[in-house]
Coordinates of all heavy atoms in Angstrom, one line a residue:
M1 N -60.0 48.3 24.4 CA -61.4 48.6 24.1 C -61.5 49.1 22.7 O -60.7 49.8 22.2 CB -61.8 49.7 25.0 CG -63.3 50.0 25.1 SD -63.7 51.2 26.3 CE -63.6 52.8 25.3
E2 N -62.5 48.6 22.0 CA -62.6 48.9 20.6 C -63.3 50.3 20.5 O -64.4 50.5 21.1 CB -63.6 47.9 20.0 CG -63.8 48.1 18.5 CD -62.6 47.9 17.7 OE1 -61.7 47.3 18.0 OE2 -62.6 48.6 16.6
E3 N -62.7 51.2 19.8 CA -63.1 52.5 19.8 C -64.4 52.5 18.7 O -64.3 51.9 17.7 CB -62.1 53.6 19.1 CG -61.0 53.9 20.2 CD -59.9 53.0 20.1 OE1 -59.9 51.9 19.4 OE2 -59.0 53.2 21.1
K4 N -65.4 53.2 19.1 CA -66.5 53.4 18.0 C -66.1 54.5 16.9 O -65.4 55.4 17.1 CB -67.8 53.8 18.8 CG -67.8 55.2 19.3 CD -69.3 55.6 19.8 CE -69.2 57.1 20.3 NZ -70.6 57.5 20.7
E5 N -66.5 54.1 15.8 CA -66.4 54.9 14.6 C -67.6 55.7 14.3 O -68.7 55.0 14.2 CB -65.9 54.1 13.5 CG -65.3 55.0 12.2 CD -64.7 54.0 11.3 OE1 -65.3 53.2 10.8 OE2 -63.6 54.5 10.9
V6 N -67.6 57.0 14.2 CA -68.7 57.7 14.0 C -68.8 58.4 12.7 O -67.6 58.9 12.3 CB -68.9 58.8 15.2 CG1 -70.1 59.8 14.9 CG2 -69.2 58.1 16.4
Q7 N -69.8 58.4 11.9 CA -69.8 59.2 10.6 C -70.4 60.6 10.8 O -71.6 60.6 11.3 CB -70.5 58.4 9.6 CG -70.5 59.1 8.3 CD -70.7 58.2 7.0 OE1 -70.9 56.9 7.1 NE2 -70.9 58.9 5.8
I8 N -69.7 61.4 10.4 CA -70.3 62.9 10.4 C -70.1 63.4 9.0 O -68.8 63.6 8.6 CB -69.7 63.7 11.5 CG1 -70.0 63.2 12.8 CG2 -70.2 65.2 11.2 CD1 -69.2 64.0 13.8
G9 N -71.1 63.6 8.2 CA -71.0 64.0 6.9 C -70.1 63.0 6.1 O -70.4 61.9 6.1
R10 N -69.1 63.5 5.4 CA -68.4 62.6 4.6 C -67.3 61.9 5.4 O -66.6 61.0 4.8 CB -67.6 63.5 3.5 CG -67.0 62.8 2.3 CD -66.8 63.7 1.3 NE -66.0 65.0 1.7 CZ -64.7 65.0 1.6 NH1 -64.0 63.9 1.1 NH2 -64.0 66.1 2.1
Y11 N -67.1 62.2 6.6 CA -66.0 61.7 7.4 C -66.4 60.5 8.4 O -67.5 60.7 8.9 CB -65.4 62.8 8.4 CG -64.6 63.8 7.6 CD1 -64.2 65.0 8.2 CD2 -64.1 63.5 6.3 CE1 -63.5 66.0 7.5 CE2 -63.3 64.5 5.6 CZ -63.0 65.8 6.3 OH -62.2 66.6 5.5
K12 N -65.6 59.6 8.4 CA -65.8 58.6 9.5 C -64.6 59.0 10.5 O -63.5 58.9 10.1 CB -65.6 57.2 9.0 CG -66.8 56.6 8.4 CD -66.7 55.2 8.1 CE -68.1 54.6 7.4 NZ -68.0 53.3 6.9
I13 N -65.0 59.0 11.8 CA -64.1 59.5 12.8 C -63.9 58.6 13.8 O -64.9 58.0 14.5 CB -64.5 60.8 13.3 CG1 -64.8 61.9 12.2 CG2 -63.4 61.5 14.2 CD1 -65.8 62.9 12.6
K14 N -62.8 58.2 14.4 CA -62.6 57.6 15.8 C -61.4 58.1 16.5 O -60.4 58.7 16.0 CB -62.5 56.2 15.5 CG -61.2 55.6 14.9 CD -61.4 54.0 14.9 CE -60.1 53.4 14.0 NZ -60.3 52.1 13.8
V15 N -61.4 58.1 17.8 CA -60.4 58.5 18.6 C -59.6 57.2 19.2 O -60.4 56.4 19.8 CB -61.0 59.3 19.9 CG1 -59.8 59.8 20.7 CG2 -61.7 60.5 19.3
L16 N -58.5 57.1 19.1 CA -57.7 56.0 19.7 C -57.3 56.3 21.2 O -56.4 57.3 21.5 CB -56.4 55.8 18.9 CG -56.5 55.6 17.4 CD1 -55.1 55.4 16.8 CD2 -57.4 54.3 17.1
R17 N -58.0 55.8 22.1 CA -58.1 56.1 23.5 C -56.6 55.8 24.1 O -56.2 56.8 24.8 CB -58.9 55.2 24.4 CG -60.4 55.6 24.3 CD -61.0 54.8 25.3 NE -61.0 55.2 26.7 CZ -61.7 56.2 27.2 NH1 -62.5 56.9 26.5 NH2 -61.4 56.5 28.5
D18 N -55.9 54.9 23.6 CA -54.6 54.6 24.2 C -53.5 55.7 23.8 O -52.4 55.9 24.3 CB -54.1 53.2 23.7 CG -54.9 52.2 24.4 OD1 -55.6 52.4 25.3 OD2 -54.8 51.0 24.0
V19 N -53.9 56.4 22.6 CA -52.9 57.3 22.1 C -53.2 58.7 22.6 O -52.4 59.6 22.6 CB -53.0 57.3 20.6 CG1 -52.0 58.2 19.9 CG2 -52.8 55.8 20.1
C20 N -54.5 58.9 23.0 CA -54.9 60.3 23.3 C -54.2 60.6 24.8 O -54.2 59.8 25.6 CB -56.4 60.2 23.7 SG -57.1 61.8 24.4
I21 N -53.7 61.9 24.9 CA -52.9 62.3 26.1 C -53.6 63.5 26.7 O -53.1 64.2 27.5 CB -51.4 62.7 25.7 CG1 -51.4 63.8 24.6 CG2 -50.6 61.5 25.4 CD1 -50.1 64.5 24.5
S22 N -54.9 63.6 26.4 CA -55.9 64.6 27.0 C -55.4 66.1 26.9 O -55.6 67.0 27.7 CB -55.9 64.2 28.5 OG -56.1 63.0 28.8
A23 N -54.8 66.3 25.7 CA -54.3 67.7 25.4 C -55.5 68.7 25.1 O -55.4 69.8 25.4 CB -53.4 67.8 24.2
A24 N -56.6 68.1 24.7 CA -57.9 68.7 24.6 C -57.9 69.8 23.4 O -58.9 70.6 23.2 CB -58.4 69.4 25.9
S25 N -56.9 69.8 22.6 CA -56.9 70.7 21.4 C -58.0 70.4 20.5 O -58.5 71.3 19.8 CB -55.6 70.9 20.7 OG -55.1 69.5 20.5
C26 N -58.3 69.1 20.4 CA -59.5 68.7 19.5 C -60.8 69.3 20.0 O -61.6 69.9 19.2 CB -59.6 67.2 19.6 SG -59.8 66.5 21.3
V27 N -60.9 69.5 21.3 CA -62.1 70.0 21.9 C -62.2 71.6 21.7 O -63.2 72.1 21.4 CB -62.1 69.8 23.4 CG1 -63.4 70.5 24.1 CG2 -62.1 68.4 23.8
A28 N -61.0 72.2 21.7 CA -61.0 73.5 21.3 C -61.4 73.9 19.8 O -62.1 74.8 19.5 CB -59.5 74.2 21.4
F29 N -60.9 73.1 18.9 CA -61.3 73.2 17.4 C -62.7 72.7 17.1 O -63.4 73.4 16.3 CB -60.1 72.5 16.5 CG -59.0 73.3 16.4 CD1 -57.9 73.1 17.1 CD2 -59.0 74.4 15.5 CE1 -56.7 73.7 16.9 CE2 -57.7 75.1 15.3 CZ -56.6 74.8 15.9
S30 N -63.2 71.8 17.8 CA -64.5 71.3 17.5 C -65.3 70.9 18.6 O -65.5 69.6 18.9 CB -64.4 70.1 16.4 OG -65.8 69.7 16.0
P31 N -65.6 71.7 19.5 CA -66.4 71.5 20.8 C -67.7 70.8 20.5 O -68.2 70.1 21.4 CB -66.5 72.9 21.4 CG -66.4 73.8 20.5 CD -65.4 73.3 19.3
A32 N -68.2 71.0 19.2 CA -69.5 70.3 19.0 C -69.5 68.8 18.9 O -70.4 68.1 19.1 CB -70.2 70.9 17.7
V33 N -68.1 68.3 18.5 CA -67.9 67.0 18.3 C -67.2 66.2 19.4 O -67.5 65.0 19.8 CB -67.2 66.8 16.9 CG1 -66.7 65.3 16.8 CG2 -68.0 67.1 15.8
F34 N -66.1 67.0 19.8 CA -65.3 66.3 20.9 C -65.5 66.7 22.3 O -65.8 68.0 22.6 CB -63.8 66.5 20.4 CG -63.4 65.8 19.0 CD1 -63.4 66.6 18.0 CD2 -63.3 64.5 19.0 CE1 -63.0 66.2 16.8 CE2 -63.0 64.0 17.7 CZ -62.9 64.8 16.6
E35 N -65.4 65.9 23.3 CA -65.3 66.3 24.6 C -64.5 65.4 25.3 O -64.2 64.2 24.9 CB -66.7 66.3 25.3 CG -67.4 64.9 25.3 CD -68.9 64.9 25.8 OE1 -69.3 66.0 26.3 OE2 -69.7 63.9 25.8
L36 N -64.2 65.6 26.6 CA -63.2 64.7 27.4 C -64.2 63.9 28.4 O -65.1 64.5 28.8 CB -62.2 65.6 28.3 CG -61.1 66.2 27.4 CD1 -60.1 66.8 28.3 CD2 -60.5 65.4 26.4
D37 N -64.0 62.6 28.4 CA -64.7 61.8 29.4 C -64.2 61.8 30.8 O -63.3 62.6 31.0 CB -65.0 60.5 28.8 CG -63.7 59.6 28.8 OD1 -62.7 60.2 29.4 OD2 -63.7 58.6 28.2
G38 N -64.7 61.0 31.6 CA -64.3 61.1 33.0 C -62.7 60.6 33.2 O -62.3 60.9 34.3
E39 N -62.3 60.0 32.2 CA -60.8 59.7 32.4 C -60.0 60.8 31.5 O -58.8 60.4 31.2 CB -60.6 58.3 31.8 CG -61.3 57.2 32.5 CD -61.1 55.8 32.0 OE1 -60.5 55.7 30.8 OE2 -61.6 54.9 32.5
S40 N -60.6 61.8 31.2 CA -59.9 62.8 30.4 C -59.4 62.4 29.1 O -58.3 62.8 28.6 CB -58.7 63.5 31.1 OG -59.3 64.2 32.3
K41 N -60.0 61.5 28.5 CA -59.8 61.0 27.1 C -60.9 61.5 26.1 O -62.2 61.7 26.6 CB -59.9 59.3 27.0 CG -59.0 58.7 27.9 CD -57.5 58.8 27.3 CE -56.5 57.9 28.1 NZ -55.2 57.9 27.6
A42 N -60.6 62.0 25.0 CA -61.5 62.5 24.1 C -62.4 61.5 23.5 O -62.1 60.3 23.3 CB -60.7 63.1 22.9
V43 N -63.7 61.9 23.5 CA -64.7 60.9 23.0 C -65.6 61.8 22.0 O -65.6 63.0 22.2 CB -65.6 60.3 24.1 CG1 -64.8 59.3 24.8 CG2 -66.2 61.4 25.0
I44 N -66.3 61.1 21.2 CA -67.1 61.8 20.2 C -68.6 62.0 20.9 O -69.2 60.8 21.1 CB -67.1 61.1 18.8 CG1 -65.7 61.1 18.2 CG2 -68.1 61.7 17.7 CD1 -65.6 60.1 17.0
K45 N -69.1 63.0 20.8 CA -70.5 63.2 21.4 C -71.5 62.5 20.5 O -71.5 62.5 19.3 CB -70.8 64.7 21.5 CG -69.8 65.6 22.4 CD -70.4 67.0 22.4 CE -69.6 67.8 23.3 NZ -70.2 69.3 23.3
D46 N -72.5 62.0 21.2 CA -73.6 61.4 20.7 C -74.4 62.4 19.7 O -74.6 63.6 20.2 CB -74.6 60.9 21.6 CG -74.0 59.6 22.2 OD1 -73.2 58.9 21.7 OD2 -74.5 59.2 23.3
G47 N -74.6 62.2 18.6 CA -75.3 63.0 17.6 C -74.6 64.2 17.2 O -75.2 65.2 16.8
A48 N -73.3 64.1 17.3 CA -72.5 65.3 17.0 C -72.5 65.7 15.6 O -72.6 64.7 14.6 CB -70.9 65.0 17.6
T49 N -72.3 66.9 15.2 CA -72.1 67.3 13.8 C -71.4 68.7 14.0 O -71.5 69.5 14.9 CB -73.5 67.6 13.3 OG1 -73.3 67.8 11.8 CG2 -74.4 68.7 13.9
D50 N -70.6 68.9 12.9 CA -69.7 70.1 12.7 C -69.4 70.2 11.2 O -69.5 69.2 10.4 CB -68.7 70.0 13.7 CG -68.0 71.4 14.0 OD1 -68.5 72.4 13.3 OD2 -67.1 71.5 14.7
E51 N -68.7 71.4 10.9 CA -68.2 71.5 9.6 C -67.0 70.5 9.4 O -66.3 70.3 10.4 CB -67.7 72.9 9.4 CG -68.7 74.0 9.6 CD -69.5 74.3 8.4 OE1 -69.0 74.1 7.4 OE2 -70.5 74.8 8.5
E52 N -66.8 70.0 8.2 CA -65.7 68.9 8.0 C -64.4 69.8 8.4 O -63.5 69.1 8.8 CB -65.8 68.5 6.7 CG -67.0 67.4 6.5 CD -67.2 67.1 5.0 OE1 -66.4 67.6 4.0 OE2 -68.1 66.4 4.8
T53 N -64.4 71.0 7.9 CA -63.2 71.8 8.1 C -62.7 71.7 9.7 O -61.6 71.7 10.1 CB -63.3 73.2 7.7 OG1 -63.8 73.3 6.5 CG2 -62.0 74.1 7.7
N54 N -63.7 72.0 10.5 CA -63.4 72.1 11.9 C -62.9 70.6 12.5 O -62.1 70.6 13.4 CB -64.6 72.5 12.8 CG -65.1 73.8 12.5 OD1 -64.1 74.6 12.1 ND2 -66.3 74.2 12.8
I55 N -63.6 69.6 12.0 CA -63.3 68.4 12.3 C -61.8 68.0 11.9 O -60.9 67.3 12.6 CB -64.2 67.2 11.8 CG1 -65.6 67.6 12.4 CG2 -63.7 65.8 12.2 CD1 -66.8 66.6 11.8
L56 N -61.6 68.3 10.7 CA -60.2 68.1 10.2 C -59.0 68.8 11.0 O -58.0 68.4 11.4 CB -60.1 68.4 8.7 CG -58.7 68.1 8.1 CD1 -58.3 66.6 8.1 CD2 -58.7 68.5 6.6
L57 N -59.3 70.2 11.4 CA -58.5 70.9 12.2 C -58.3 70.3 13.5 O -57.2 70.4 14.0 CB -59.1 72.5 12.3 CG -58.8 73.3 11.1 CD1 -59.7 74.7 11.3 CD2 -57.4 73.6 10.7
A58 N -59.3 69.7 14.0 CA -59.2 69.2 15.3 C -58.3 67.9 15.3 O -57.5 67.8 16.1 CB -60.7 68.7 15.8
A59 N -58.5 67.1 14.2 CA -57.6 66.0 14.2 C -56.2 66.4 13.9 O -55.3 65.8 14.5 CB -58.0 65.1 12.9
Q60 N -56.0 67.4 13.0 CA -54.6 68.0 12.8 C -53.9 68.6 14.0 O -52.8 68.7 14.1 CB -54.6 68.9 11.6 CG -55.0 68.2 10.2 CD -55.2 69.3 9.2 OE1 -55.6 70.3 9.3 NE2 -55.1 68.8 8.0
S61 N -54.8 69.0 14.9 CA -54.2 69.7 16.1 C -53.9 68.6 17.2 O -53.1 69.1 18.0 CB -55.3 70.6 16.7 OG -56.3 69.9 17.4
C62 N -54.3 67.5 17.0 CA -53.9 66.5 17.9 C -52.4 66.2 18.1 O -51.9 65.7 17.0 CB -54.6 65.2 17.8 SG -54.4 63.9 19.1
P63 N -51.8 66.4 19.0 CA -50.2 66.3 19.1 C -49.8 64.7 19.0 O -48.6 64.4 18.5 CB -49.8 66.7 20.5 CG -51.0 66.7 21.3 CD -52.2 66.9 20.4
T64 N -50.7 63.8 19.2 CA -50.4 62.5 19.1 C -50.9 61.7 18.0 O -50.8 60.4 17.8 CB -50.6 61.6 20.4 OG1 -52.0 61.8 20.6 CG2 -50.0 62.2 21.5
G65 N -51.8 62.3 17.1 CA -52.4 61.8 15.9 C -53.4 60.6 16.4 O -53.6 59.6 15.8
A66 N -54.2 61.0 17.5 CA -55.1 60.0 18.1 C -56.5 59.9 17.3 O -57.3 59.1 17.6 CB -55.4 60.4 19.6
I67 N -56.6 60.9 16.5 CA -58.0 61.1 15.8 C -57.8 60.7 14.4 O -56.9 61.2 13.6 CB -58.4 62.6 15.9 CG1 -58.7 63.1 17.3 CG2 -59.8 62.7 15.1 CD1 -59.0 64.5 17.4
I68 N -58.4 59.6 14.1 CA -58.3 59.0 12.8 C -59.6 59.4 11.9 O -60.8 59.1 12.3 CB -58.3 57.4 12.8 CG1 -57.1 57.0 13.9 CG2 -57.9 56.8 11.4 CD1 -55.8 57.4 13.5
I69 N -59.3 59.9 10.7 CA -60.4 60.3 9.8 C -60.3 59.4 8.5 O -59.2 59.5 7.9 CB -60.4 61.8 9.4 CG1 -60.6 62.5 10.8 CG2 -61.7 62.1 8.7 CD1 -60.6 64.1 10.5
T70 N -61.4 58.9 8.1 CA -61.4 58.2 6.8 C -62.6 58.8 6.0 O -63.6 59.3 6.5 CB -61.5 56.7 6.9 OG1 -62.6 56.3 7.8 CG2 -60.3 56.1 7.2
D71 N -62.4 58.8 4.8 CA -63.4 59.3 3.8 C -64.5 58.2 3.6 O -64.1 57.0 3.2 CB -62.7 59.6 2.4 CG -63.9 60.3 1.5 OD1 -65.0 59.7 1.4 OD2 -63.4 61.3 0.9
A72 N -65.7 58.5 4.0 CA -66.8 57.4 4.2 C -67.1 56.9 2.7 O -67.5 55.8 2.6 CB -68.0 58.1 4.7
E73 N -66.9 57.9 1.7 CA -67.3 57.4 0.2 C -66.1 56.5 -0.4 O -66.4 55.6 -1.1 CB -67.5 58.5 -0.5 CG -68.9 59.3 -0.2 CD -69.1 60.5 -0.9 OE1 -68.3 60.8 -2.0 OE2 -69.9 61.3 -0.5
T74 N -64.9 57.0 -0.2 CA -63.9 56.3 -0.9 C -63.2 55.4 0.1 O -62.2 54.4 -0.4 CB -62.8 57.3 -1.4 OG1 -62.2 58.0 -0.2 CG2 -63.4 58.4 -2.2
G75 N -63.2 55.4 1.3 CA -62.5 54.6 2.2 C -61.1 54.9 2.5 O -60.3 54.4 3.2
E76 N -60.7 56.1 1.9 CA -59.3 56.5 2.0 C -59.0 57.3 3.3 O -59.9 57.9 3.7 CB -59.0 57.5 0.8 CG -58.8 56.8 -0.5 CD -58.5 57.6 -1.6 OE1 -58.3 58.9 -1.5 OE2 -58.6 57.3 -2.7
R77 N -57.9 57.1 3.8 CA -57.4 57.8 5.1 C -57.4 59.2 4.6 O -56.6 59.7 3.9 CB -56.1 57.2 5.4 CG -55.5 57.9 6.8 CD -56.2 57.7 8.0 NE -56.1 56.3 8.5 CZ -55.1 55.7 9.1 NH1 -54.1 56.5 9.6 NH2 -55.2 54.5 9.6
V78 N -58.0 60.1 5.4 CA -57.9 61.7 5.4 C -56.8 62.1 6.3 O -56.0 63.0 6.0 CB -59.2 62.1 5.6 CG1 -59.2 63.8 5.5 CG2 -60.3 61.8 4.7
W79 N -56.8 61.6 7.5 CA -55.9 62.1 8.5 C -55.8 61.0 9.5 O -56.7 60.3 9.9 CB -56.4 63.4 9.3 CG -55.3 63.9 10.1 CD1 -55.1 63.8 11.3 CD2 -54.1 64.7 9.5 NE1 -54.0 64.5 11.6 CE2 -53.4 65.0 10.7 CE3 -53.8 65.1 8.3 CZ2 -52.2 65.9 10.6 CZ3 -52.6 66.0 8.2 CH2 -51.8 66.4 9.3
P80 N -54.5 60.7 10.0 CA -53.3 61.2 9.7 C -52.9 60.7 8.2 O -53.4 59.7 7.8 CB -52.1 60.6 10.6 CG -52.9 60.1 11.8 CD -54.3 59.7 11.2
K81 N -52.1 61.5 7.6 CA -51.7 61.1 6.3 C -50.7 59.9 6.2 O -50.0 59.9 7.0 CB -51.0 62.4 5.5 CG -51.8 63.6 5.3 CD -52.7 63.4 4.1 CE -53.4 64.7 3.8 NZ -54.6 64.4 2.8
Ligands
SF4_111 S1 -56.2 66.6 20.8 FE1 -55.6 64.4 20.8 S2 -54.7 64.0 22.7 FE2 -55.6 65.8 22.9 S3 -57.7 65.2 23.7 FE3 -57.9 65.3 21.6 S4 -57.6 63.4 20.9 FE4 -56.8 63.5 22.9

């Protein structure tokens, strides 16, 4: 399944479903953006918004690196490094 990429502020974010192990630490750091769906996989809420710091912390907290962030302006990978 193709993951949808969502832009929030300067970040483009997507969650790799196959890599997500439902640890939910992303939800703890940025509950405004991330939630677990019916299969306990992280998804990005519709119309979500949060501070970039919280989104980055959420991605950094993911034990499997399932959250990919790119800079919408430069196209550079922000996380994982
Ligand atoms: S922290 Fe990573 S593994 Fe855990 S629910 Fe979020 S995306 Fe999935």
